[in-house]
Amino acid sequence: MAQRLKGLIQWLDERVGLGDIRALGTHKQVPIHRHSIWYYFGGTTLFLFGVQAITGILLTLYYRPSPEEAYESVRFITGEVEFGWLIRAIHGWTANLIILVAMIHLFSVLFLRAYRKPREGTWFTGFAMLLLFLGFGFSGYLLPWNELSYFATRVGTEIPGAVPFIGDTIVQVMRGGEEVTGATLSRFYGLHIAILPAMFTLLLGVHLFLVQRHGMSVPESVEKASAGKPARTMPFLPNFMLRDMVGWLGVLGLLAGLAALAPEGDGFFVKLELGEKADLFGATPAGLRPEWYFLAMFYSLKLLPGHIFGIDWLVGEQVGVLCFTLVGAAFFFLPLIDRGKRFLLVRVAGSLVLVWLIVFTILGRVMK
Amino acid sequence: MDRDPTLRSRRSFLDMVIGLGFTGLAAAVLYPVARYLIPPVRSGPGTRSVVLDPDDPAQVDPETRIFVFGSRPGILVKGPGGQWKAFSAVCTHLSCTVRFQAESNQIWCPCHNGLFDLNGRNIPGTPPPRPLEEFEVHEREDESGKKTLLVSKGRSA
Ligand code: FES
C-alpha cells in the first residue's frame, strides 16, 4: 500500500513537479518575534473564505432568488432540509467573523507598517478584498427577503444617491430599477454568487502571489532590535502551516459552537433570525439597524442633521458620505501617503479611525 | 535599430494604430455591457390617484396611517386645521417608510429618527433634508352618502 502511494507520488512528481512546490514551501521562512501572532489573521481569513464558498454553494442548492420564493426557500432550508439550519447558521456566522478577522488583519498590518515598500500591492489588493467582503455582506443580507433585509437594502442603496450628478444612475443600477424589487433581488443574487466571488478570486490570487514573492514583513522595531544578528525564523512548511491549521481547527470549532448554540445569532450584534417576510408597503419596523459592520456609518448618518448648521447646501447625508469616501480612499492609498517620516501621523489617524469604528458601532447598537 | 528616422516614425505610427484598434475594441465591448447594466425605465402611466376610505383599516392602517399608492406607500393624516393631508411615505432622507406617531402628533421615520410635521415639513435638526412629497386630497361623497377621499399626485407631469 505504502509502496503504491510512493509510486503514485513519484508518478505525479515526474509530471507536475511536486518537489518544486514543496521546495517553495520549505524555503519560505516565517520570522519569529513578539508580533508573530498577527501573521495568523490573514490565513484565518482565507480559511473562513473557504468555509463561505462551501456553505454558500450548498445553500444555492435550495435557495430560489425571487420575491415569491426567496423567503419561503430559506424557511424550507432552516425548517425542513436536514442540517439546513446548520449550513445557514455557519454561513451567517462566518460572514460576520470574516469581516472581524479581516479588519484585525488590516489594522495589524497598518500599525506594524507592513504595507511599506515593496508590499504596496499586497495592501491594495487586501483592502479591495475587505471592500468586497462588505459587498458580500450587503448583497447577501437581502437574499432571505425578510422585513429587515428589505428596508436595510432600501436605505443602503439610497446612499449613493448622495453622489452629485450620477448618484441617481448608480442607485438605479444597484436596484435594477427605481425601487427595491424582485429585480434588485436578482441583481444581488448574481452579484453575491458570481460577480463578487470572481473578483475576489482574482484579487486573492494576486494577494497570495505577492505574499509569497515578498515573504512576511518584519516590523521595523524588530528589524532595529535584531540589527546585525540573523533573525529567528521557522520554515513555512511544515512549522508555520501546522500552527496555522491548529488555529483553523480552533476557528472551525468556534463556528460549530456558535452555529449550534445560537443558530439565529446572538441577537445583539449578529442577527440571523428570519423574521417576517418583506412587505413592500408595510411600515418600516422600529429599531431597524444594519449589520454590525455598517453600524458606525449608520450612526454617523443618524447624527447628521438634514442641513448642517442650517446651511442650505450643506446636506448632512452628502457630507457624511463624502467623509466615508475620503476615509476609505485614505486607507486604500495609505502606502502612497505614508512616505518618509509620516508614520506617526498614520498611527494617530489610524487609531482615531479605529476608535470611531468601535465607539460608533457600540453607540449605533445601543442608542435608540 | 531605430536610428533611421523614417523607420522610427513608421514604428510609432503602427504602435498608435494598434493602440487605437485595441481602445476601439475595448469600447465596443464595454459600451453594450455598461448600457445593459442600466435597467430600462418602465414607461407606463404609473399610479396617479387612488380612492380611499380613511376609516377602513384595510386601506389605511389605523396606527401608522400608511396606505398603498401604486407601487409606493403613502401616508394620510389630519392636518393642523383638521383637513386631510396625504404624502408619499418615502422618507426624503434615505427612503425608509415614515409613519404617523400619535404621542408626538408628528410623522416619524424609524430609520434615523427623522421627523416631519403634519404639513409634511421636515423638522430642522433631524436627518431629512426636504419635506415629504405632497399628494392632493379631494373629499367626495358617493350616492349612499359615504365619504371617500380622492388622493392624487399634484401637478400632472
Ligand atoms: S431614512 Fe428617514 S430618517 Fe433616514
Side-chain angles (χ1 to χ4, degrees):
Chain A
M1 188 61 213
Q3 205 56 42
R4 280 259 180 90
L5 195 67
K6 251 200 187 131
L8 182 69
I9 289 177
Q10 198 189 343
W11 189 90
L12 268 175
D13 189 21
E14 278 160 14
R15 286 156 183 85
V16 188
L18 290 180
D20 294 350
I21 299 174
R22 215 191 126 81
L24 213 67
T26 42
H27 278 153
K28 180 173 168 168
Q29 295 288 322
V30 178
I32 305 174
H33 48 75
R34 65 199 168 91
H35 296 301
S36 286
I37 174 94
W38 303 112
Y39 290 144
Y40 293 94
F41 283 86
T44 306
T45 315
L46 180 64
F47 172 71
L48 289 173
F49 181 72
V51 172
Q52 283 312 70
I54 294 169
T55 49
I57 289 169
L58 289 176
L59 287 172
T60 63
L61 301 184
Y62 289 104
Y63 176 75
R64 291 184 219 162
S66 79
E68 293 76 34
E69 294 183 304
Y71 178 83
E72 287 75 5
S73 67
V74 177
R75 260 269 115 95
F76 181 72
I77 291 173
T78 54
E80 291 179 48
V81 180
E82 287 204 54
F83 290 110
W85 62 272
L86 182 67
I87 304 292
R88 174 166 184 263
I90 290 186
H91 197 72
W93 269 107
T94 309
N96 286 284
L97 276 190
I98 203 169
I99 289 181
L100 183 69
V101 176
M103 280 188 174
I104 296 174
H105 185 43
L106 173 118
F107 276 100
S108 72
V109 168
L110 186 144
F111 289 123
L112 292 175
R113 214 185 186 185
Y115 52 79
R116 66 192 190 278
K117 190 187 165 193
R119 296 185 177 79
E120 293 95 337
T122 323
W123 172 272
F124 294 148
T125 47
F127 189 72
M129 282 192 286
L130 179 62
L131 292 185
L132 289 190
F133 279 153
L134 296 181
F136 270 116
F138 185 63
S139 56
Y141 194 58
L142 177 68
L143 300 185
W145 200 251
N146 56 16
E147 212 180 20
L148 288 181
S149 71
Y150 169 74
F151 281 104
T153 305
R154 232 164 85 175
V155 174
T157 51
E158 186 71 26
I159 290 176
V163 177
F165 308 116
I166 52 164
D168 287 343
T169 313
I170 301 178
V171 172
Q172 278 193 27
V173 168
M174 283 176 78
R175 289 183 178 167
E178 300 271 341
E179 317 269 337
V180 174
T181 58
T184 320
L185 187 57
S186 301
R187 243 162 224 240
F188 275 35
Y189 184 64
L191 199 68
H192 192 76
I193 73 155
I195 301 175
L196 291 177
M199 288 165 68
F200 188 87
T201 309
L202 206 73
L203 287 170
L204 179 65
V206 178
H207 194 77
L208 291 181
F209 170 77
L210 289 173
V211 170
Q212 183 60 40
R213 175 111 206 172
H214 299 307
M216 305 295 208
S217 156
V218 180
E220 288 165 309
S221 58
V222 177
E223 250 174 10
K224 235 179 258 159
S226 71
K229 292 169 276 167
R232 286 205 309 139
T233 60
M234 62 173 136
F236 181 79
L237 266 184
N239 301 35
F240 185 78
M241 193 65 206
L242 284 177
R243 279 161 208 241
D244 223 358
M245 280 162 70
V246 171
W248 296 1
L249 215 56
V251 171
L252 189 65
L254 177 72
L255 271 176
L258 287 171
L261 295 176
E264 310 224 303
D266 63 16
F268 194 69
F269 276 121
V270 178
K271 292 190 184 170
L272 306 173
E273 76 263 53
L274 196 50
E276 304 271 313
K277 183 175 177 172
D279 172 7
L280 274 50
F281 301 108
T284 306
L288 178 92
R289 283 188 188 86
E291 298 269 82
W292 66 267
Y293 38 86
F294 293 125
L295 279 175
M297 286 194 274
F298 159 81
Y299 191 63
S300 306
L301 285 178
K302 201 164 169 167
L303 286 188
L304 288 170
H307 298 281
I308 295 175
F309 308 129
I311 299 172
D312 231 20
W313 47 269
L314 223 51
V315 179
E317 174 203 343
Q318 287 181 337
V319 172
V321 173
L322 183 70
C323 289
F324 304 150
T325 314
L326 287 179
V327 171
F331 261 80
F332 183 80
F333 290 112
L334 185 62
L336 304 181
I337 297 171
D338 178 18
R339 288 269 176 85
K341 295 211 172 3
R342 290 211 200 125
F343 186 48
L344 185 66
L345 184 81
V346 171
R347 243 184 350 204
V348 171
S351 310
L352 284 179
V353 172
L354 187 60
V355 169
W356 168 68
L357 278 175
I358 294 174
V359 171
F360 271 57
T361 302
I362 294 172
L363 285 180
R365 183 58 195 85
V366 297
M367 298 298 268
K368 267 222 151 183
Chain B
M1 61 181 184
D2 275 4
R3 224 155 291 149
D4 179 354
T6 55
L7 209 68
R8 195 163 54 209
S9 69
R10 201 180 301 164
R11 163 150 308 175
S12 63
F13 175 73
L14 280 177
D15 279 350
M16 196 186 74
V17 169
I18 292 174
L20 271 181
F22 276 114
T23 314
L25 182 66
V29 171
L30 290 180
Y31 179 73
V33 173
R35 291 307 297 254
Y36 180 85
L37 288 178
I38 301 175
V41 190
R42 291 271 173 77
S43 59
T47 307
R48 302 229 60 95
S49 62
V50 289
V51 177
L52 289 178
D53 173 357
D55 299 319
D56 179 1
Q59 291 183 34
V60 183
D61 188 294
E63 205 185 306
T64 61
R65 309 298 302 163
I66 292 173
F67 64 91
V68 175
F69 189 85
S71 61
R72 303 181 142 220
I75 183 165
L76 181 75
V77 292
K78 266 228 161 84
Q83 77 287 27
W84 286 110
K85 291 247 173 197
F87 308 96
S88 155
V90 178
C91 181
T92 53
H93 182 225
L94 291 169
S95 81
C96 272
T97 305
V98 298
R99 58 162 90 182
F100 179 67
Q101 197 179 39
E103 308 93 73
S104 61
N105 205 30
Q106 279 173 322
I107 297 173
W108 173 60
C109 177
C111 285
H112 311 97
N113 284 331
L115 286 173
F116 302 86
D117 65 17
L118 294 183
N119 284 315
R121 279 192 305 250
N122 49 316
I123 309 259
T126 67
R130 282 186 311 282
L132 294 171
E133 184 193 349
E134 184 160 6
F135 298 147
E136 270 173 28
V137 184
H138 292 285
E139 292 198 35
R140 305 198 303 188
E141 210 169 298
D142 61 14
E143 294 94 72
S144 58
K146 222 175 108 223
K147 282 221 172 77
T148 56
L149 302 175
L150 174 72
V151 177
S152 53
K153 247 190 195 159
R155 295 126 258 136
S156 45

